[in-house]
Amino acid sequence: MSAILILIIVANVLFSLKGFNDLSFFRKFEFHIGSIRSGEQIRMLTSGFLHADMGHLFFNMFTLFMFAPVVTNYFGGASFLLVYMGSLVFGSLLTLLMHQNDYSYRAIGASGAVTGVLYSAILIEPSMSLYLFFIPIPIPAYIFGIGYLLYSIYGMKAKNDNIGHTAHFGGAIGGYLITLLKEPAMLMDNTAMVVLLAIPIILLFVLAKAGKL
């Protein structure tokens, strides 16, 4: 495990634990449209290190732990950090764009950054699989990634928590674009996977345009 990945996980754990036990800290650094539009843009970064509960934190860090080594081994630590932080920023920007007039909108979670790393890893190694606790057979990573985004559409429509579901898509877009910009040959070498991973992203914008979200 790379030193950068360890630092990111430790930062998420410490920041989240502090937020679990200190509501004023949580409120100060969560993603909140009204506060961001009033000038507190730092929330667009800090919210990516807060989580709703231990389950939310574990799922994000477990997913990151599974896929980050693929990106680190292929691009190196500095570029992995670029994918992670770039995806976090993309996630926050898309959330701000889609909810800009909802001044009460709140969200937290590293999901945008993690989804960006997930998408990057799938582009790098399209044939990779993973095991989930409740499924005894390996699952193709691209099915997991696409399913994750489809679940995010459900979360965005349900609006029954303050997890940053919109950020999942922004993060996926960030990881997708950064990876292709760094390795444009993938457009030719992995054309099918490039197109397949774009489908849920396109679906999001179609639903948003139709007012279904």
Side-chain angles (χ1 to χ4, degrees):
M1 189 188 304
S2 72
I4 291 176
L5 176 57
I6 292 173
L7 287 173
I8 288 174
I9 292 175
V10 168
N12 272 279
V13 170
L14 294 179
F15 212 72
S16 294
L17 290 177
K18 174 66 173 175
F20 294 159
N21 298 300
D22 187 340
L23 183 59
S24 63
F25 178 89
F26 187 92
R27 292 302 184 204
K28 181 178 180 180
F29 293 110
E30 69 180 347
F31 189 101
H32 179 240
I33 293 290
S35 299
I36 291 170
R37 295 199 63 177
S38 296
E40 297 180 28
Q41 282 81 17
I42 190 65
R43 290 171 178 263
M44 296 179 71
L45 293 177
T46 58
S47 59
F49 292 88
L50 288 170
H51 289 82
D53 51 42
M54 287 300 295
H56 185 207
L57 173 63
F58 174 79
F59 182 75
N60 273 338
M61 294 304 99
F62 175 74
T63 305
L64 181 64
F65 175 80
M66 292 292 292
F67 291 98
V70 177
V71 182
T72 303
N73 292 338
Y74 190 84
F75 282 137
S79 291
F80 162 70
L81 184 61
L82 173 64
V83 171
Y84 185 89
M85 295 305 297
S87 298
L88 193 162
V89 171
F90 265 85
S92 291
L93 288 173
L94 182 64
T95 304
L96 182 62
L97 176 66
M98 294 190 69
H99 299 279
Q100 59 184 305
N101 295 319
D102 183 358
Y103 282 72
S104 64
Y105 181 88
R106 302 173 186 271
I108 38 85
S111 304
V114 172
T115 308
V117 172
L118 167 64
Y119 253 52
S120 180
I122 296 170
L123 286 171
I124 291 167
E125 197 171 322
S127 62
M128 70 185 298
S129 298
L130 70 155
Y131 285 89
L132 300 178
F133 297 123
F134 48 87
I135 301 177
I137 58 174
I139 302 299
Y142 69 87
I143 291 179
F144 177 80
I146 292 172
Y148 193 45
L149 290 192
L150 293 177
Y151 165 74
S152 298
I153 290 179
Y154 165 77
M156 290 166 67
K157 290 173 69 68
K159 298 178 181 178
N160 57 5
D161 55 40
N162 69 335
I163 294 172
H165 295 289
T166 308
H168 296 179
F169 279 92
I173 294 168
Y176 184 84
L177 292 179
I178 293 169
T179 301
L180 292 178
L181 285 171
K182 289 188 66 65
E183 200 68 41
M186 289 180 179
L187 290 166
M188 297 298 295
D189 298 339
N190 300 333
T191 305
M193 191 59 64
V194 170
V195 172
L196 188 62
L197 292 180
I199 291 173
I201 296 173
I202 294 170
L203 177 61
L204 168 77
F205 287 107
V206 170
L207 290 173
K209 186 72 174 178
K212 301 295 185 180
L213 294 177

